[in-house]
Amino acid sequence: MIASTTGAPRGSFASSHRHHQMAMYATIDIPKAEFAESAIELSTLPWVRNRVATLTVANSNVRIDSYGFAGHLAIGTSHTIEVRELVPGTVHALFPIATHQRIRVARQSTRTDPRSEPPHELIARSFISAALEATASGIDRRYEASRYLGEQPSGRLDTARTMKAWATGRRNVLATSIRRLTPDTPLNRVLAAGALRAYEITAYSDTASLGGALCARLAGVTPQVLPDFEHARRYAVMAGRGEDVALVDIAELLITGMTLVGSGAALTSPMSAWVDVPDLFERAVLALTSTLFSPAHVFHGKSSPRALLKRGDAATRLRRAEPDVVIQNGSRTVIFDAKYRSTGNVASEQSLYQLMAHADAWNATAAALVTPALPGQSPGVEVLGTDSRGCTYAVLSADPTNVGELSSALSWSTAFKALRIATPS
C-alpha cells in the first residue's frame, strides 16, 4: 500500500503519534525504530491475528501488506493506519443492498461527500440509527421464571422445594416461583453489544449522543462481549420481530469484524476497526441477483456444495464447488463468482479456471465473474468464450458505487436465455 503520514484521526494522541493512509492490496514499510513494541507484541495485534493484514518485522522496517479490508489499524499507541477502499464509496453504496435494504444508511451531516466517511463509521452510524428506530416504541421484553426462598414470598408456591427446606429445620421460609418481565432477551443482548461497539466507534463524531442514547435505552441488558448471534436470530423470528434479524447481522459485523484497542475508559487510544469489503460486494451481488432473476431460485453455493470430482480417491479431499451465486430455474443453472480484487475487471487465469471448475461441477450453461470496474477500466460485459460443453463465460463489471450500473451488468442476457427467463426490459 502507498502510505502518507498525517495527523491523528481520533482523540488526543501524543504529538509523536503518526497516521498513515494506505490503499487496499498494497504494501507499506515503516522504520522499525519508530515502534516501542517488540516483534512478539506486534504479532499479537488484533488485526494481525484476524488476518486483516500481515505484519512482518525485518532488520530495519516493519512491513504491512493489506488485502480486502478497509478501516483503521492501530499499532500500539504510536501509529494508526487508514486502509482506504479500492473504490471509495463502495461500502456506502452496497451496504444497504447487502443487508437487503432493511438497514438505511444513516446521514452524515458533517461531510459534504458521504462516500468519504470511513466504512466502519458508516456501518456503526447506520446501526445506531436503525436500532433507535427499531426500539422507539420500547425494547423487546419477555417473562422469565425465577425462584425465591425466604420469609416474604411472592408468586406461586413451590411445594416440593418448601417441604425440602422445612425438612432441614427452616420452617419459617417458603419456596416460590415467579415470572418477571425482563429486557434481558437474546435479541437485546446482541443489540446492547452492538450499541456499545457502535458508540465506541463513533465516540468522536457528531452522532455520539445518539450512540449514548441507544446504550442508555438498553441499560437493563446483561452486557456480553460475544453474544449468541444465531440464538438471537431464532429468537427474533419466534418473538415476531423478524425485521430485527438484519440488525443482528449488522451487530455481528460490528462485534466480530471491528475490534477496538484499549479499554472503554480510554477512548482516546488508537482504534482498530475493519470491514471485509469483498464479502460485502459478494453479499450485494447475491442480493441484487435474487431480485433481477426472479422467479428463479438464487442462493449461495455453500448452502449446497458440489464435488469437483464425481468419483476417485481425491473426490472427498478436494475443495468443493461453492459459487458465490447459483441461479436455478428448473434443471437449468447459471453461476456467478464475485471478485473484488485490485485487478478490477482483468480476470486472472486462476479466477477463470476456478469459474470453469465450478461451472462444470454445477453443469452450468452460463457462468460469469462479477468484478468492480476500477478507474480507467470500461464497465460492461466481456464475453470470454464457450467451452466444449457449450457453457458461455463472461466478465461482468461495473463501478461498485453505482448500484444501477452493477444491476445492468448482472442483467446479462445470455444468463436469462440460458435459464429461459424473459430478459427484463
Side-chain angles (χ1 to χ4, degrees):
M1 298 181 179
I2 302 172
S4 63
T5 303
T6 66
R10 169 183 169 94
S12 301
F13 304 135
S15 58
S16 60
H17 182 90
R18 299 194 178 188
H19 180 58
H20 309 270
Q21 291 189 358
M22 307 166 61
M24 289 168 59
Y25 301 109
T27 300
I28 180 176
D29 287 318
I30 303 174
K32 184 179 176 181
E34 294 184 7
F35 297 97
E37 295 80 11
S38 67
I40 294 177
E41 289 173 323
L42 292 174
S43 68
T44 59
L45 292 169
W47 54 268
V48 176
R49 295 198 312 269
N50 285 275
R51 300 181 181 179
V52 173
T54 61
L55 184 149
T56 306
V57 180
N59 290 333
S60 58
N61 289 322
V62 172
R63 170 163 292 186
I64 297 154
D65 295 279
S66 183
Y67 306 117
F69 296 86
H72 284 293
L73 309 180
I75 307 178
T77 58
S78 59
H79 293 265
T80 304
I81 300 170
E82 180 185 349
V83 184
R84 302 187 305 270
E85 297 171 84
L86 185 62
V87 180
T90 296
V91 174
H92 183 272
L94 299 185
F95 174 65
I97 309 299
T99 55
H100 306 287
Q101 300 185 340
R102 288 177 290 183
I103 302 294
R104 291 198 299 271
V105 175
R107 296 181 61 184
Q108 166 61 286
S109 61
T110 61
R111 294 176 186 269
T112 55
D113 183 1
R115 294 177 302 175
S116 67
E117 183 174 17
H120 55 282
E121 290 185 16
L122 167 73
I123 294 176
R125 186 186 303 275
S126 298
F127 174 82
I128 291 171
S129 176
L132 283 171
E133 181 178 339
T135 58
S137 58
I139 64 174
D140 176 55
R141 296 175 185 272
R142 70 172 177 179
Y143 282 97
E144 189 172 81
S146 59
R147 301 198 300 180
Y148 174 83
L149 182 66
E151 299 179 4
Q152 298 179 334
S154 61
R156 177 178 295 181
L157 179 66
D158 187 330
T159 305
R161 289 178 53 237
T162 298
M163 297 303 294
K164 185 176 181 180
W166 286 9
T168 61
R170 303 172 66 187
R171 300 297 295 269
N172 61 326
V173 301
L174 291 175
T176 61
S177 60
I178 187 171
R179 286 168 56 82
R180 299 183 185 276
L181 191 62
T182 174
D184 200 18
T185 69
L187 173 61
N188 284 342
R189 286 195 287 270
V190 168
L191 296 185
L196 179 59
R197 182 58 48 85
Y199 172 70
E200 289 175 321
I201 290 174
T202 61
Y204 291 91
S205 73
D206 58 338
T207 55
S209 60
L210 294 178
L214 179 60
C215 290
R217 189 173 290 179
L218 296 159
V221 181
T222 301
Q224 291 184 325
V225 175
L226 190 63
D228 189 335
F229 301 105
E230 193 54 41
H231 186 194
R233 290 187 185 94
R234 293 194 303 268
Y235 174 85
V237 173
M238 293 177 63
R241 302 178 66 100
E243 69 279 2
D244 289 334
V245 172
L247 272 175
V248 176
D249 292 342
I250 306 308
E252 183 174 15
L253 174 62
L254 285 169
I255 295 164
T256 63
M258 302 183 185
T259 300
L260 301 180
V261 175
S263 67
L267 291 177
T268 55
S269 63
M271 174 192 70
S272 289
W274 55 83
V275 178
D276 188 338
V277 185
D279 179 69
L280 187 74
F281 182 71
E282 177 186 312
R283 290 171 184 264
V285 167
L286 179 61
L288 285 172
T289 305
S290 297
T291 301
L292 292 168
F293 284 81
S294 178
H297 180 38
V298 181
F299 56 96
H300 195 296
K302 67 183 178 184
S303 65
S304 181
R306 298 285 182 89
L308 289 171
L309 295 178
K310 303 294 189 294
R311 61 183 64 86
D313 294 339
T316 58
R317 298 199 306 268
L318 290 177
R319 286 187 60 184
R320 296 188 173 265
E322 302 176 359
D324 298 325
V325 180
V326 179
I327 315 165
Q328 287 187 331
N329 189 35
S331 61
R332 306 175 190 91
T333 302
V334 170
I335 66 169
F336 291 161
D337 268 340
K339 300 293 184 185
Y340 190 85
R341 300 287 188 268
S342 60
T343 53
N345 61 14
V346 179
S348 66
E349 287 190 0
Q350 180 181 359
S351 296
L352 181 57
Y353 291 156
Q354 181 188 54
L355 181 69
M356 295 177 71
H358 287 181
D360 184 66
W362 284 86
N363 195 30
T365 52
L369 297 174
V370 184
T371 73
L374 304 182
Q377 295 182 338
S378 299
V381 176
E382 179 188 3
V383 177
L384 301 176
T386 304
D387 67 12
S388 59
R389 293 189 305 107
C391 180
T392 302
Y393 297 90
V395 176
L396 316 178
S397 64
D399 176 356
T401 69
N402 187 328
V403 176
E405 187 174 287
L406 181 57
S407 296
S408 178
L410 292 171
S411 299
W412 179 32
S413 61
T414 301
F416 281 91
K417 291 176 182 177
L419 294 163
R420 297 185 187 175
I421 300 176
T423 306
S425 56

